[in-house]
């Protein structure tokens, strides 16, 4: 009897099967970080494949609606279908419906823009916003999905829940850009600021990522299935600096922290990470 042949999907050097799936997911991750789009040549370089393989992968993703090609520039962009999948997952858990009430209450209490961000691995993404109808001048809620970490109250609120060593590792892998004269890029100053955030339970950013904008944020924490406390999201409040000066931040922070606490109480324990673990265990046949 001839030896068993390994499935072709594991050995296809041209990018088929499992390898193609892995590369397709990598394309989605790469384009998610490229706000200005990427050329096919640059995408092939980042994937470390030739243009023929990159073409097959991108054509498949384009046909499925996950990416699109801008006709004028021929650059590739990630479509909103990926975001929609994540939103449907959140809707299925009832999370957005429940959190929308929390955000609406916070927006009405303060007259400002309240937002919810969720943690996904080493990133934060906006998923929900509620703007009060009481104000004529509003902060634009249509931010890009990815959130700056070191220059926003939201990013600092999440980072404050992590050990300093992990904060260093996360920020070292990113370029600590300077967006305004108030942006902190020195690691020592950032860690000292995060220590203060941990002490009081909420973070602030006064014109650190955008001139004329102040924000306060608090982490949403839950006790996980393994009885460890972890941050799953952040609730923030943003306003023009003229309406939210430094002296006004503590009062706003109390409302934001209360909203984060209530969101944590309703947050589903079975999260993305646990679903992945259960699926992986089931495929291996080692679930007890």
């Amino acid at each position: 009897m001839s030896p068993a042949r390994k499935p072709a999907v594991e050995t296809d050097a041209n990018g088929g099967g499992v390898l193609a799936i892995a590369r397709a997911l990598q394309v989605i991750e790469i384009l998610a970080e490229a706000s200005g789009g990427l050329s096919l040549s640059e995408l092939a370089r980042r994937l470390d494949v030739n243009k023929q393989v990159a073409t097959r992968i991108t054509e498949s993703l384009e046909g499925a609606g996950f990416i699109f090609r801008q006709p004028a520039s021929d650059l590739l962009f990630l479509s909103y279908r990926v975001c929609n999948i994540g939103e449907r997952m959140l809707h299925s858990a009832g999370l957005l419906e429940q959190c929308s009430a929390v955000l609406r209450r916070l927006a009405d209490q303060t007259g400002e823009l309240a937002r919810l961000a969720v943690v996904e691995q080493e990133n934060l993404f906006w998923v929900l916003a509620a703007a009060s109808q009481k104000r004529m001048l509003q902060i634009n809620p249509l931010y890009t999905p990815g959130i700056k970490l070191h220059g926003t109250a939201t990013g600092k609120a999440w980072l404050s829940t992590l050990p300093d060593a992990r904060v260093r590792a996360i920020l070292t892998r990113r370029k600590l850009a300077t967006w305004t004269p108030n942006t902190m890029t020195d690691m020592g100053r950032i860690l000292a600021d995060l220590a203060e955030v941990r002490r009081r339970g909420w973070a602030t950013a006064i014109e650190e990522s955008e001139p004329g904008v102040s924000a306060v944020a608090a982490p949403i924490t839950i006790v996980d299935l393994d009885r460890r406390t972890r941050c799953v999201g952040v609730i923030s409040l943003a306003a023009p600096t003229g309406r939210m000066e430094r002296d006004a931040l503590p009062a706003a922070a109390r409302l934001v922290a209360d909203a984060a606490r209530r969101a944590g109480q309703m947050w589903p324990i079975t999260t993305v990470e646990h679903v992945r673990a259960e699926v992986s265990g089931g495929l291996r046949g080692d679930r007890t």
Side-chain angles (χ1 to χ4, degrees):
M1 181 184 297
S2 60
R5 181 181 177 184
K6 290 185 178 181
V9 294
E10 295 185 359
T11 59
D12 188 347
N14 292 322
V18 173
L19 182 58
I21 294 172
R23 284 174 172 162
L25 294 174
Q26 191 177 357
V27 167
I28 292 174
E29 290 182 343
I30 291 172
L31 291 180
E33 298 292 330
S35 58
L38 290 177
S39 66
L40 181 64
S41 298
E42 175 60 18
L43 189 58
R45 186 188 69 79
R46 297 194 187 189
L47 288 172
D48 194 24
V49 299
N50 60 47
K51 287 184 68 174
Q52 183 180 8
V53 172
T55 297
R56 285 203 298 271
I57 295 172
T58 54
E59 285 179 349
S60 296
L61 288 172
E62 191 172 3
F66 289 104
I67 67 175
F68 69 93
R69 189 183 306 271
Q70 191 178 71
S73 64
D74 209 35
L75 295 178
L76 297 164
F77 292 83
L78 191 66
S79 77
Y80 283 112
R81 184 175 183 185
V82 177
C83 300
N84 291 339
I85 290 173
E87 188 174 351
R88 287 200 298 271
M89 181 196 73
L90 292 171
H91 271 296
S92 68
L95 182 60
L96 292 187
E97 289 86 347
Q98 296 179 68
C99 286
S100 64
V102 173
L103 290 185
R104 173 57 59 193
R105 178 182 175 184
L106 180 59
D108 289 341
Q109 284 176 318
T110 61
E112 306 298 354
L113 174 68
R115 286 175 293 181
L116 168 67
V118 296
V119 177
E120 174 64 22
Q121 297 181 350
E122 292 189 351
N123 294 284
L124 283 168
F125 298 96
W126 300 118
V127 295
L128 203 59
S132 170
Q133 302 302 314
K134 300 177 182 179
R135 302 285 191 181
M136 294 296 293
L137 177 62
Q138 295 285 357
I139 302 298
N140 181 10
L142 300 178
Y143 280 69
T144 55
I147 298 172
K148 305 168 185 175
L149 296 184
H150 68 288
T152 63
T154 300
K156 290 192 281 186
W158 173 57
L159 291 175
S160 73
T161 67
L162 307 176
D164 281 354
R166 189 176 174 199
V167 172
R168 284 182 180 274
I170 291 173
L171 295 184
T172 299
R173 287 192 286 271
R174 300 166 182 259
K175 181 180 179 181
L176 296 181
T178 300
W179 298 292
T180 76
N182 293 337
T183 306
M184 287 185 286
T185 57
D186 176 76
M187 188 66 71
R189 288 187 63 200
I190 292 173
L191 294 178
D193 188 35
L194 294 180
E196 178 64 16
V197 174
R198 294 187 189 104
R199 184 191 67 78
R200 66 192 179 201
W202 42 273
T204 64
I206 302 176
E207 298 186 320
E208 292 186 37
S209 64
E210 186 176 352
V213 176
S214 293
V216 60
I220 302 169
T221 58
I222 65 169
V223 178
D224 224 333
L225 293 178
D226 53 10
R227 298 184 179 180
R228 290 186 299 179
T229 299
R230 70 185 181 99
C231 177
V232 292
V234 175
I235 285 184
S236 69
L237 197 67
T241 301
R243 291 206 303 258
M244 191 184 288
E245 296 178 341
R246 192 175 300 275
D247 293 343
L249 292 176
R254 287 191 288 271
L255 297 174
V256 173
D258 181 65
R261 177 187 59 79
R262 286 186 284 113
Q265 291 173 341
M266 64 181 64
W267 205 275
I269 297 299
T270 303
T271 55
V272 175
E273 288 80 2
H274 289 103
V275 170
R276 288 173 179 163
E278 290 178 10
V279 171
S280 177
L283 291 175
R284 293 194 307 266
D286 60 359
R287 288 199 298 179
T288 57

